[in-house]
């Protein structure tokens, strides 16, 4: 092979955005364009000269296109090492390939389409594409591999200047292997799901993470950080949200916003949740977003300062104005943001505003916690609703108003760090105790907080994320005027705790579900 031989690019893509101008530039750089199927047709329709793969291999595409690039004339051209395999290539008439531009069959969009069948999915498992990508990426010292449209311009610039640098070759090679790894992981997940295997946690778990944005830093300035989506993500999520204005998002912003949004979306009624350091500090439920925000803010105005505010309804101008008039806020997230609200928020350009999108069916999702050298994996706690009929375990039964307050408090307590206690009444949190080593301490903190803001607990309710190990929490609650309690139950001392409630004339409801949150 002569070193003066024209450079050759193999192009076979399902994502055709930007392809024609890219190929035109390659042709201007005197690349021979080799392509297949729909890609070749598109390029020819654009007036470009294209060599078909069958012309290179001397063998037709067969089996409905299943076999076309799996041939020594292609893979030899990709894997041949400069200065080592020249004689073998020449002996077998193998021309070198300098550039591979491939992205794979649209498996993700096929399996996301409810009309697609299992057969459709299997037919969209690409074989030749990953083989070419991997071969080219392995031989990156000579062959450049492009799997992402966003890299087209950098590749063109490199060839315009002569030869791509080794640094660029290594970067695109790594990106190529990550691309095929994510593709294989998606297929493995799908086939495992289709197999009917009831094993929730397979021996080998493969996660495909896609970077959504770089972050200024992690929890602290000395920690680097980025935000990634897992698979296709979820509807109405912070990771998939659109930032409408504001400063760059931080690690803590996103963590707090996730807690706030998940908590507020657990309410069917109009609600607002304010979160500070991963804990709800105020939650309000009302007829309008503005009134819900007022309740959430008044629950704990001190902690609301610099907090993250979430809504489960469109953010309107009135509510946006109320927030800016009342407090300093780091971030606001809602399914939608009205144009008028955004105009009002523009007065404070540093305030981060996210549109999370409308809620939809939530996929089965996993929660990961990093530990040294590994990870803990569990299903995400989607919460639990005690339903229309509450399991009342005391002689006293809840009134309609108490039932509503108990359900409200139960939704909130599931998003408070354990040990968690929530006091509430009339669609408003009144005191929250979070993250203490003993439940009685959380109860004391919640009562102290309520008193600090002059919130009366007379006739209020209490929610606990886990059972009461002793009756002391019941006694303390009664001292502050609590008249109804909702908790999971399940303690060895349940009888003693229930007896205490009966003795004090307090309603007690068991849910049967614990909600530790660490």
């Amino acid at each position: 092979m002569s070193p003066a031989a024209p450079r050759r690019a193999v192009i076979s893509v399902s994502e055709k955005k930007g392809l024609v101008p890219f190929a035109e530039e390659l042709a201007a750089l005197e690349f021979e364009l080799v392509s297949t199927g729909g890609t070749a047709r598109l390029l020819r329709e654009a007036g470009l000269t294209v060599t078909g793969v069958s012309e290179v291999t001397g063998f037709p595409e067969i089996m409905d296109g299943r076999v076309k690039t799996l041939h020594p004339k292609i893979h030899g051209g990709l894997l041949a090492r400069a200065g080592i395999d020249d004689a073998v290539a020449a002996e077998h008439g193998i021309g070198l390939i300098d550039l591979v531009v491939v992205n794979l069959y649209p498996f993700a969009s096929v399996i996301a389409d409810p009309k697609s069948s299992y057969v459709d999915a299997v037919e969209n498992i690409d074989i030749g594409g990953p083989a070419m990508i991997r071969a080219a990426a392995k031989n990156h010292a000579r062959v450049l591999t492009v799997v992402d449209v966003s890299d087209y311009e950098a590749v063109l610039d490199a060839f315009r200047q002569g030869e791509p640098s080794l640094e660029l070759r290594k970067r695109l090679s790594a990106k190529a292997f990550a691309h095929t790894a994510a593709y294989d992981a998606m297929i493995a997940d799908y086939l495992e799901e289709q197999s009917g295997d009831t094993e929730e946690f397979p021996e080998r778990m493969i996660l495909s993470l896609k970077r959504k944005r770089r972050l200024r830093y992690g929890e602290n300035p000395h920690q680097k950080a980025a935000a990634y989506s897992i698979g296709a993500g979820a509807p109405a999520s912070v990771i998939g949200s659109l930032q409408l204005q504001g400063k760059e998002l931080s690690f803590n912003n996103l963590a707090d916003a996730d807690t706030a949004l998940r908590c507020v979306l657990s309410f069917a009624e109009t609600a607002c949740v304010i979160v500070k350091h991963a804990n709800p500090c105020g939650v309000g439920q009302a007829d309008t977003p503005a009134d819900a925000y007022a309740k959430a803010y008044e629950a704990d105005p001190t902690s609301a300062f610099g907090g993250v505010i979430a809504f489960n309804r469109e953010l309107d101008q009135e509510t946006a104005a109320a927030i800016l008039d009342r407090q300093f806020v780091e971030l606001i997230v809602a399914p939608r943001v009205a144009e008028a609200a955004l105009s009002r928020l523009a007065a404070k350009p540093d305030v981060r505003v996210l549109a999370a999108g409308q809620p939809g069916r939530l996929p089965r999702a996993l929660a990961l916690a990093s530990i040294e050298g590994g990870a803990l994996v569990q299903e995400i706690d989607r919460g639990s609703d005690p339903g229309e009929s509450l399991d009342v375990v005391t002689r006293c039964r809840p009134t309609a108003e108490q039932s509503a307050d108990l359900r409200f408090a139960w939704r909130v307590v599931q998003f408070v760090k354990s040990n968690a206690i929530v006091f509430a009444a009339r669609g408003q949190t009144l005191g929250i105790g979070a993250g203490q080593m003993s439940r009685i301490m959380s109860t004391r903190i919640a009562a102290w907080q309520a008193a600090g803001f002059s919130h009366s607990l007379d006739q209020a309710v209490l929610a606990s994320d886990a059972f009461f190990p002793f009756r002391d929490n019941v006694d303390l609650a009664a001292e502050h005027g609590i008249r109804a309690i909702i908790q999971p139950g399940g303690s060895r001392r349940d009888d003693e705790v229930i007896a205490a409630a009966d003795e004090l004339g307090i309603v007690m409801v068991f849910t049967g579900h614990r909600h530790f949150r660490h």
Side-chain angles (χ1 to χ4, degrees), residues 88-99:
V88 174
E91 178 185 353
H92 296 284
I94 297 172
L96 297 186
I97 296 169
D98 305 275
L99 173 66

Side-chain angles (χ1 to χ4, degrees), residues 304-327:
F305 180 87
V308 167
I309 305 175
F311 296 90
N312 61 356
R313 300 288 189 273
E314 180 179 72
L315 179 66
D316 55 43
Q317 183 181 28
E318 178 188 358
T319 309
I323 293 170
L324 296 188
D325 290 346
R326 238 178 195 152
Q327 68 168 103

